[in-house]
Amino acid sequence: MSLVRKGWPLHRRISRDLEDRIRAGELRPGQRIPIEHDLMQTYGCARMTVNKALSRLVGEGLIERRKRAGSFVRLPRLDAPVLEIPDIEVEVTARGDRYRFELLNAHVIADDDLDGPVLALTGVHYAQDRALAFEERRICLSVVPDAQTADFTVQSPGHWLLQAVPWTRVEHKISAVAASPEVCVRLGIEKGAACLVVERRTWKDDSVVTAVRQIFDGTTYRLTASFGK
Amino acid sequence: MSLVRKGWPLHRRISRDLEDRIRAGELRPGQRIPIEHDLMQTYGCARMTVNKALSRLVGEGLIERRKRAGSFVRLPRLDAPVLEIPDIEVEVTARGDRYRFELLNAHVIADDDLDGPVLALTGVHYAQDRALAFEERRICLSVVPDAQTADFTVQSPGHWLLQAVPWTRVEHKISAVAASPEVCVRLGIEKGAACLVVERRTWKDDSVVTAVRQIFDGTTYRLTASFGK
DNA sequence: CCAGACGTAATGTCTATACATTATCTATTA
DNA sequence: TAATAGATAATGTATAGACATTACGTCTGG
């Protein structure tokens, strides 16, 4: 079992051992890995223990299993690192900076894209009084009527919504645009500077709760994602 | 157990049921959920079955568990959608387009950032003869000596590496910059246009395998990430 | 040569039980 | 009151066995 972590539970050591062998290339994509019965013997344990180890590898996307056929190493995927798209308020306060949201504008409007009356907000996120992001948000009032009476100078709309409405689905789109005149002013950057745009749409069941577009200074703000040990 | 999927295994129905109750706000963040013993009685099953259901919720980040204390609903996290950062070659061919990588430059150099001799490449990814991305890549020759003899006009370096070297860790940084003169020419975009930048660094164990910087036209290319059912 | 039937090898699920581990709570003691 | 020690309730891990499910291979019969 190579040089595997002592103190770890057996099922964890088994999954880690197999993971290492896959990552080292000893077990190659498409190749069949030993059947549960053989692994029982190899590690001298019950089938449930082996099964738990293999279930973990399925969850991590490292193997796939087919009844009667066996378990097979999957192709490595570059396409599933975990992306951290933070709640800006949480991110700023987490690193000990003073956070502030400046509400610029709030109107109830009709929106073609979203159902029913919509609360349209614009504002700026500040960290230590430095503008971090410009935000344009729409909140579906039929789903979140309370939004109309909430005070977004105390809490950012995003943070408030997170507590107020449990979502069931989120979708993000990340792109880049040149700063519009308004964004230049709000973020204090040069005309036409490259900005990172995060668009987020949040659903509860089948109705859109909120759609938001956050614009960051592309050179100072970066999203990070990592995958692996 | 509300209106839960028939045909699903019991442990899956239990976890889904609890997930629904959390998402619906019936079980709120910080709140304690019933202990395994009670859930056994509620669902009329063995503790291992309940345990499997709860383990899944831990994996999904919906609850956390503490011995002696119980299981608690975690704060909803916006920060872990799965980001699809594709192998460009795979992405292009997957949607049926003709893919081509044009190698512009290849030199063996020394690099302060990476250990040992490094193969430095620049090139352009094309989809249907339209430039999609400009790429600057460095490959650590001490880790991947074969890279020096590989033909990157047949396969993109990224795709080739994926097959040649199993990685153990990947890190991505996503930002935005204004197009440099060279990028303008290569991608056929206007001077100073906003570009989306994906920087990826790949490790095998403790050594960097490759570091790459891919630059996309920010207005036509977007990364997407989603989370939820 | 092909279509269909079928045995069977593998995974999938579930149970009942046992003991380990650990943080919380309580009771005791200084 | 405060520190310490111990009891205990919850999760964590593991076992052995049972039956369900599925699709791979093979063996038919046409």
Side-chain angles (χ1 to χ4, degrees):
Chain A
M1 208 187 311
S2 59
L3 31 105
V4 158
R5 314 289 184 284
K6 288 181 182 176
W8 282 21
L10 181 53
H11 67 86
R12 194 65 196 75
R13 273 181 287 159
I14 296 173
S15 62
R16 178 53 187 268
D17 187 34
L18 290 168
E19 187 185 325
D20 285 346
R21 290 167 66 189
I22 291 170
R23 291 244 144 91
E26 182 194 332
L27 300 169
R28 306 203 134 270
Q31 192 179 331
R32 180 174 168 174
I33 70 175
I35 63 171
E36 291 186 346
H37 187 261
D38 289 348
L39 290 171
M40 285 172 61
Q41 305 225 294
T42 304
Y43 296 102
C45 64
R47 188 161 81 94
M48 279 299 294
T49 306
V50 168
N51 190 280
K52 188 164 188 174
L54 295 180
S55 296
R56 185 190 175 92
L57 296 181
V58 170
E60 287 176 349
L62 274 167
I63 66 169
E64 64 181 359
R65 317 193 72 199
R66 295 203 313 279
K67 291 198 226 296
R68 171 67 221 251
S71 305
F72 300 84
V73 180
R74 283 183 37 154
L75 281 165
R77 358 179 276 189
L78 262 193
D79 68 345
V82 171
L83 173 66
E84 316 239 340
I85 299 179
D87 177 343
I88 299 174
E89 178 168 352
V90 169
E91 190 190 39
V92 170
T93 55
R95 70 164 184 246
D97 288 353
R98 186 162 16 90
Y99 171 83
R100 183 165 58 87
F101 181 76
E102 183 185 7
L103 186 65
L104 297 172
N105 216 303
H107 289 297
V108 177
I109 59 167
D111 191 303
D112 297 337
D113 204 15
L114 279 63
D115 290 336
V118 162
L119 181 62
L121 307 172
T122 58
V124 179
H125 298 265
Y126 289 89
Q128 302 281 53
D129 293 321
R130 223 178 66 75
L132 187 67
F134 179 73
E135 170 170 325
E136 299 170 302
R137 182 182 291 271
R138 283 151 196 221
I139 302 172
C140 223
L141 287 173
S142 54
V143 182
V144 202
D146 292 351
Q148 217 164 349
T149 55
D151 181 2
F152 296 126
T153 58
V154 179
Q155 246 183 344
S156 70
H159 197 74
W160 179 84
L161 278 164
L162 207 55
Q163 300 190 316
V165 191
W167 49 268
T168 52
R169 193 159 76 88
V170 193
E171 195 177 271
H172 293 88
K173 288 181 184 165
I174 297 156
S175 55
V177 296
S180 67
E182 173 163 31
V183 170
C184 289
V185 174
R186 298 303 178 190
L187 298 185
I189 57 180
E190 282 174 23
K191 179 171 174 293
C195 292
L196 193 64
V197 180
V198 174
E199 289 168 294
R200 173 161 53 228
R201 196 168 271 249
T202 310
W203 284 262
K204 177 173 164 60
D205 305 322
D206 288 328
S207 12
V208 174
V209 176
T210 183
V212 62
R213 185 177 151 91
Q214 292 171 335
I215 302 173
F216 301 83
D217 176 0
T219 54
T220 62
Y221 192 85
R222 23 184 70 196
L223 294 163
T224 62
S226 65
F227 195 72
K229 287 165 199 132
Chain B
M1 210 186 309
S2 57
L3 30 107
V4 158
R5 314 290 184 281
K6 287 183 182 175
W8 282 21
L10 182 52
H11 67 85
R12 194 64 197 77
R13 272 181 288 161
I14 295 173
S15 62
R16 176 55 186 267
D17 187 34
L18 290 168
E19 187 185 327
D20 285 346
R21 290 167 67 187
I22 291 169
R23 291 244 146 89
E26 182 193 333
L27 300 169
R28 307 204 133 271
Q31 191 179 331
R32 181 174 168 175
I33 70 175
I35 62 172
E36 291 186 345
H37 187 263
D38 289 348
L39 290 170
M40 284 173 63
Q41 305 225 295
T42 304
Y43 296 101
C45 64
R47 187 160 83 92
M48 280 300 293
T49 306
V50 168
N51 190 280
K52 187 164 189 173
L54 294 180
S55 296
R56 184 190 175 93
L57 297 181
V58 171
E60 288 176 350
L62 273 167
I63 66 169
E64 63 183 0
R65 318 193 70 195
R66 295 203 314 277
K67 292 199 225 296
R68 172 67 222 249
S71 305
F72 301 84
V73 179
R74 283 181 38 153
L75 281 165
R77 5 178 268 190
L78 264 191
D79 68 347
V82 170
L83 174 65
E84 315 240 340
I85 299 178
D87 178 343
I88 300 175
E89 178 169 353
V90 168
E91 191 191 38
V92 170
T93 54
R95 67 165 187 247
D97 287 354
R98 188 161 16 89
Y99 171 83
R100 183 165 61 87
F101 181 77
E102 183 185 10
L103 186 64
L104 297 172
N105 216 301
H107 288 299
V108 177
I109 59 167
D111 190 304
D112 297 337
D113 203 14
L114 279 63
D115 290 335
V118 161
L119 181 62
L121 307 171
T122 57
V124 179
H125 297 265
Y126 289 89
Q128 303 281 52
D129 294 318
R130 226 178 64 75
L132 187 66
F134 179 74
E135 169 169 326
E136 299 169 303
R137 182 183 291 270
R138 282 148 198 225
I139 302 172
C140 222
L141 287 173
S142 55
V143 182
V144 202
D146 293 350
Q148 217 164 349
T149 54
D151 181 2
F152 296 128
T153 57
V154 179
Q155 247 183 343
S156 70
H159 197 73
W160 179 83
L161 279 163
L162 205 59
Q163 299 189 316
V165 192
W167 49 267
T168 54
R169 194 159 76 86
V170 192
E171 195 177 271
H172 293 89
K173 288 181 185 165
I174 297 156
S175 56
V177 297
S180 69
E182 173 163 29
V183 169
C184 290
V185 174
R186 297 304 177 190
L187 298 184
I189 56 180
E190 282 173 23
K191 179 170 174 292
C195 293
L196 192 65
V197 180
V198 175
E199 289 167 295
R200 173 162 52 229
R201 195 169 272 249
T202 309
W203 284 262
K204 177 174 164 61
D205 305 322
D206 288 329
S207 15
V208 173
V209 175
T210 184
V212 62
R213 186 177 150 90
Q214 294 170 334
I215 302 173
F216 301 83
D217 175 0
T219 54
T220 62
Y221 192 85
R222 21 184 71 193
L223 294 162
T224 61
S226 65
F227 196 72
K229 286 162 200 139

